[in-house]
Amino acid sequence: MANDGIDLGRRGFLTGRRPSRPEAIRPPWSRAASVAAACTGCGTCVPACPQNIIVLDNDGRPALSFGAGECTFCGACAETCPEPVFDRSIAAFPHIAAIGADCFARRDIVCQSCGDACLETAIRFRPRLGGPALPEIASDRCNGCGACIAACPAQAIAVGARPSEAAHA
Ligand code: SF4
Ligand code: SF4
Ligand code: SF4
């Protein structure tokens, strides 16, 4: 799977509406507001990530590239950051996975790669007549790790706001 770098818009890493400039996915336990307020752009978190999924966006601030892999919640980014960007007392991510119209199963091609990749068993496949079972995200189980995003051969998975955090996004 290709590393999408900081081209966060091409694969639709969006939260709901399509803004003119795509919103970056911030590292776990950080939010857009805390990054804007406290991140100096030092880049310390980038090499600290063992998954190599932290990149700097066009403003020199950290963003996640889930196309390169998933977050394991190891905490290295939060631990290494010298500024008050991270808050380990909040939920790691304000998002959950969202499956789009490009999903192979929705186009009658059998595929369950996302379900195989999800350690949280947050993706269930609903049987249907006349076509492959369709994946569905269980919002109460999805931790937003992004493993399914990297695994999807159709690049059909993005992130969407977690219902309980939508007001704080
Ligand atoms: S928690 Fe670990 S795997 Fe996740 S973004 Fe931070 S350093 Fe990378
Ligand atoms: S991996 Fe992608 S294409 Fe396959 S079922 Fe999941 S969302 Fe659809
Ligand atoms: S983001 Fe992680 S927990 Fe959520 S459905 Fe995808 S693989 Fe499962």
Side-chain angles (χ1 to χ4, degrees), residues 99 103-104 111 113-114 125 135 152-154 157:
I99 298 175
C103 168
F104 283 161
C111 178
S113 295
C114 53
F125 286 82
C152 176
I157 307 178

Side-chain angles (χ1 to χ4, degrees), residues 50-132:
Q51 297 293 99
N52 294 314
I53 59 171
I54 303 180
V55 298
L56 296 182
D57 66 14
N58 290 335
D59 297 321
R61 301 299 185 268
L64 297 191
S65 177
F66 277 146
E70 73 269 26
C71 176
T72 62
F73 303 98
C74 70
C77 50
E79 290 169 12
T80 197
C81 178
E83 307 296 337
V85 173
F86 295 82
D87 178 357
R88 296 292 295 267
S89 72
I90 63 175
F93 290 118
H95 63 246
I96 59 174
I99 298 175
D102 288 337
C103 168
F104 283 161
R106 293 183 180 181
R107 293 154 55 193
D108 291 338
I109 301 168
V110 174
C111 178
Q112 297 195 354
S113 295
C114 53
D116 293 341
C118 180
L119 297 179
E120 302 300 315
T121 59
I123 303 176
R124 296 161 185 159
F125 286 82
R126 178 166 48 87
R128 62 175 173 136
L129 293 174

